[in-house]
């Protein structure tokens, strides 16, 4: 099977996490868009498994959670009239749990914005933490039951509810209303009011929009398949946690969190892809050899 050189694959993956679209990468790197897509899919699979395996037993102090909106295939209001719309077409929300001190993305999830996905995020977050933490979310009501179900009383939890004023007609379409204040509400435990904040996770939402072309507003770069949307996110989160040096720490979030003492490079992700392909090949050969051969 033909395979791109290591340098070419590293370049493609770097472009994917630097906000380039599939077609622009295809042009810049002089490869087929199918080649770029396959590399994204392969990277997405191994990165999702890598995050699931490595981001465990995290010692944290303060965790902030939020959701960021995007859409797949078409916006929710246009799904009924869309031709051949897939089952997951419409609004897509990416849920994240970020550790405020190290900036580590501890947990993430893709789906709707209802209570089932809130519960999924909190259950996953709880399974990755090593200790009791202070948790802050926005005022989304789905968090209330989800946090209670995942943590019970073993958490210091508060909600930060932002209060908005009226916006002018020109600003209503693309800009949020002016924030005129915030209300901090203790929900469980004894959260420190000075650290009831979602500022870091909201700033991270901007980073996501800047680093992944699929999140860019008012373009045709949105995801057409939910699977590729998830692959892009899986690659991004491993790059963000393990490869990208955070300006505040001069190390990666994974290093700041004590999950590793080594700086990971994009070529290491390529190595993960190669290892996964090798294991799959060995399994296929083993399955073939185990089948009785007729004379």
């Amino acid at each position: 099977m033909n395979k791109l050189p290591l340098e070419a694959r590293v370049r493609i993956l770097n472009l994917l996490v630097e906000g380039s679209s599939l077609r622009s990468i295809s042009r810049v790197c002089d490869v087929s868009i199918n080649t770029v897509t396959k590399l994204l899919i392969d990277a997405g699979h191994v990165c999702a498994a890598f995050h699931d395996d490595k981001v465990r037993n995290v010692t944290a102090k303060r965790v902030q959670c939020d959701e960021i909106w995007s859409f797949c295939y078409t916006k929710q209001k246009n799904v009924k009239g869309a031709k051949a719309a897939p089952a997951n077409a419409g609004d897509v929300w990416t849920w994240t749990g970020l550790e405020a001190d190290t900036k580590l993305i501890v947990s993430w999830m893709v789906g709707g914005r209802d209570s089932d996905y809130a519960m999924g995020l909190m259950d996953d977050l709880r399974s990755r933490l090593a200790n009791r933490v202070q948790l802050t979310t926005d005022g989304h009501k789905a968090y209330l039951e989800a946090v209670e179900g995942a943590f019970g009383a073993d958490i210091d939890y508060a909600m930060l509810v932002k209060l908005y004023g009226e916006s002018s007609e020109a600003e209503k379409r693309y800009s949020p209303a002016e924030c005129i204040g915030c209300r901090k509400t203790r929900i469980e435990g004894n959260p420190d009011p000075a650290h009831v904040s979602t500022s870091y996770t909201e700033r991270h939402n901007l980073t996501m929009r800047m680093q992944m072309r699929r999140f860019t507003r008012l373009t045709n770069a949105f995801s057409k398949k939910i699977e590729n949307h998830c692959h892009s996110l899986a690659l991004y989160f491993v790059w963000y946690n393990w490869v990208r040096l955070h300006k505040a720490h001069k190390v990666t979030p994974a290093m700041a969190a004590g999950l590793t003492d080594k700086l990971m490079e994009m070529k290491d992700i390529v190595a993960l892809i190669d290892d996964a392909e090798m294991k799959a090949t060995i399994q296929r050969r083993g399955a073939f050899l185990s089948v009785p051969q007729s004379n």
Side-chain angles (χ1 to χ4, degrees), residues 64-66 96-98 197-206:
Q64 301 176 6
C65 292
D66 199 13
T96 54
L98 179 144
S197 171
T198 56
S199 296
Y200 290 127
T201 186
E202 288 176 1
R203 176 58 182 83
H204 178 259
N205 286 346
L206 173 61

Side-chain angles (χ1 to χ4, degrees), residues 155-216:
I155 195 160
D156 300 311
Y157 173 41
M159 274 186 166
L160 181 71
V161 181
K162 293 186 176 180
L163 308 175
Y164 294 95
E166 284 294 324
S167 296
S168 64
E169 289 299 323
E171 294 178 345
K172 281 185 177 180
R173 185 171 184 183
Y174 300 119
S175 301
E178 179 184 0
C179 181
I180 59 175
C182 296
R183 183 175 65 246
K184 299 179 180 180
T185 304
R186 185 192 71 83
I187 305 298
E188 186 66 58
N190 188 31
D192 182 354
H195 295 288
V196 175
S197 171
T198 56
S199 296
Y200 290 127
T201 186
E202 288 176 1
R203 176 58 182 83
H204 178 259
N205 286 346
L206 173 61
T207 302
M208 291 175 63
R209 288 207 182 276
M210 296 295 291
Q211 301 297 153
M212 285 178 284
R213 186 63 169 163
R214 296 167 187 271
F215 283 80
T216 306

Side-chain angles (χ1 to χ4, degrees), residues 4 8 11-12 15 24-32 36:
L4 288 175
R11 187 182 187 192
I12 290 172
L15 289 171
S24 67
I25 296 172
S26 173
R27 294 190 296 268
V28 170
C29 297
D30 193 25
V31 296
S32 166
V36 180

Side-chain angles (χ1 to χ4, degrees), residues 31-43:
V31 296
S32 166
I33 189 173
N34 293 332
T35 300
V36 180
T37 302
K38 183 181 185 304
L39 185 58
L40 171 64
I41 293 172
D42 293 342

Side-chain angles (χ1 to χ4, degrees), residues 278-291:
M278 180 63 69
K279 290 178 182 178
T281 300
I282 293 173
Q283 290 177 352
R284 287 196 297 270
R285 289 176 178 175
F288 175 78
L289 293 175
S290 65
V291 175

